[in-house]
Amino acid sequence: MGEPQLTPAHLQHSEEKIRTPFQEGLHAFMKNKIAVAGTVIVLFFVAVAIFSPLIAPYTINDQDLGRRLLPPSADHFFGTDDFGRDIFSRVVHGAKISLFVGFFAVLGSMVIGSLLGIIAGYYGRWADTIISRLFDIMLAFPSILLAIAIISILGPSLQNALIAIAIINIPNFGRLIRAKVLSVKQEDYIMAAKSVGMKDSRILLRHVLPNSFSPIIVQASLAVATAIIEAAALGFLGLGAQAPSPEWGKMLSDSKAYLIQAPWTMIFPGLAIMLTVLGFNLMGDGLRDALDPKSKQ
């Protein structure tokens, strides 16, 4: 009898079988055109933030009262504001501020929330009770009201807005990682690690945390979009970035009096917020579909 022939279908099946989990997730993500489009939007704004000094034709505080509230033109792509400042330059520099707040607020809430969630989920008992009740209390308040309360104590500034946004997002990460840890710690390999005397710290770092990381990545990508909106809302209320900062929410607040007379002063910062948030949401949805095993069934 001759050897079985390998058809292209068999070869393709073999290649799929030897893919690593990372390659499998990346493949699923790249097949999602909407998620790729969201990633392109995010990368575009990241590039704008990094190269803002090279892209912006004017400095953010160049004032020319003789050219105030000019409509979009070849000299001023997005027009000028009530101080004659170039809106395009301010929107470009505002990308750096909004992404900075979004990334670092989420980083802080992710680290603290994950730490508390791991402690609550792994050790349980009184630690779980205290931490879970703390999360419940924080989630009982609307997030923006809790942020306003925190800033009223710390004082209005961009840095304090970042701190407030990080604090109000801690429960989201904490509850997520707690639920994942409760599931992971029942696995056989965790029981085996405990039976051979492995320390809890090593079990958490080598086994529990790596196997709980996928939902954190998805939540982080979606939380950046929420953080950008919250930073813009606080800036609009005068509790976040202060004048003359080109933060997008602050730009909307400064321009609301000119909505009828010069609508472009609000349109372009608003579009920047909308597109950035849309990009992160689309990318986050794609990551969730790619990393969630249930979505592949």
Side-chain angles (χ1 to χ4, degrees):
M1 295 178 63
E3 295 183 358
Q5 297 295 321
L6 293 178
T7 64
H10 287 104
L11 292 174
Q12 182 179 1
H13 184 65
S14 299
E15 290 177 357
E16 291 177 355
K17 287 178 64 177
I18 62 174
R19 282 179 181 160
T20 65
F22 173 78
Q23 291 173 331
E24 191 69 31
L26 181 62
H27 177 72
F29 182 83
M30 296 304 295
K31 285 175 62 177
N32 190 333
K33 295 182 180 179
I34 295 178
V36 173
T39 305
V40 170
I41 295 173
V42 170
L43 292 177
F44 170 77
F45 278 99
V46 170
V48 168
I50 293 173
F51 299 107
S52 55
L54 302 177
I55 298 173
Y58 302 91
T59 59
I60 58 175
N61 294 320
D62 278 347
Q63 298 184 16
D64 186 353
L65 297 180
R67 302 176 66 84
R68 61 191 301 269
L69 300 178
L70 292 179
S73 64
D75 293 330
H76 302 281
F77 302 141
F78 292 173
T80 61
D81 63 9
D82 54 318
F83 286 101
R85 296 174 296 194
D86 183 64
I87 295 177
F88 175 76
S89 298
R90 290 176 64 78
V91 168
V92 166
H93 281 278
K96 180 164 40 179
I97 297 174
S98 292
L99 291 177
F100 175 85
V101 173
F103 284 133
F104 283 94
V106 169
L107 179 62
S109 59
M110 180 176 67
V111 172
I112 298 174
S114 297
L115 178 61
L116 293 175
I118 288 175
I119 294 173
Y122 187 78
Y123 292 103
R125 298 182 180 179
W126 62 267
D128 186 18
T129 301
I130 294 174
I131 293 173
S132 296
R133 296 299 78 78
L134 175 62
F135 289 163
D136 291 339
I137 292 171
M138 295 178 68
L139 291 171
F141 295 93
S143 58
I144 191 66
L145 292 182
L146 183 57
I148 291 172
I150 294 171
I151 292 178
S152 67
I153 297 173
L154 301 177
S157 71
L158 182 64
Q159 292 78 8
N160 291 340
L162 189 155
I163 294 172
I165 293 169
I167 291 174
I168 64 177
N169 282 290
I170 287 175
N172 298 326
F173 286 96
R175 286 164 66 95
L176 180 68
I177 195 68
R178 173 187 174 273
K180 187 67 177 177
V181 170
L182 286 173
S183 174
V184 171
K185 76 175 187 177
Q186 303 299 327
E187 297 291 339
D188 292 339
Y189 59 87
I190 300 295
M191 301 298 181
K194 289 182 178 180
S195 67
V196 297
M198 185 178 291
K199 293 182 179 179
D200 287 344
S201 58
R202 191 175 180 187
I203 294 174
L204 291 172
L205 290 175
R206 295 194 60 179
H207 299 294
V208 176
L209 186 58
N211 287 284
S212 306
F213 208 64
S214 294
I216 297 178
I217 296 175
V218 176
Q219 178 63 28
S221 62
L222 296 172
V224 171
T226 303
I228 290 173
I229 293 178
E230 290 166 342
L234 293 173
F236 185 83
L237 295 173
L239 300 174
Q242 302 297 302
S245 173
E247 194 270 328
W248 293 335
K250 180 60 178 172
M251 291 178 67
L252 289 175
S253 178
D254 293 340
S255 303
K256 61 180 181 291
Y258 306 99
L259 177 60
I260 304 300
Q261 180 184 359
W264 54 86
T265 58
M266 294 192 72
I267 288 174
F268 293 110
L271 282 175
I273 296 172
M274 184 197 74
L275 289 174
T276 306
V277 171
L278 176 65
F280 277 105
N281 281 333
L282 294 179
M283 185 176 72
D285 288 340
L287 286 172
R288 180 177 56 200
D289 294 340
L291 297 176
D292 184 6
K294 296 180 181 179
S295 67
K296 301 175 185 178
Q297 293 177 356

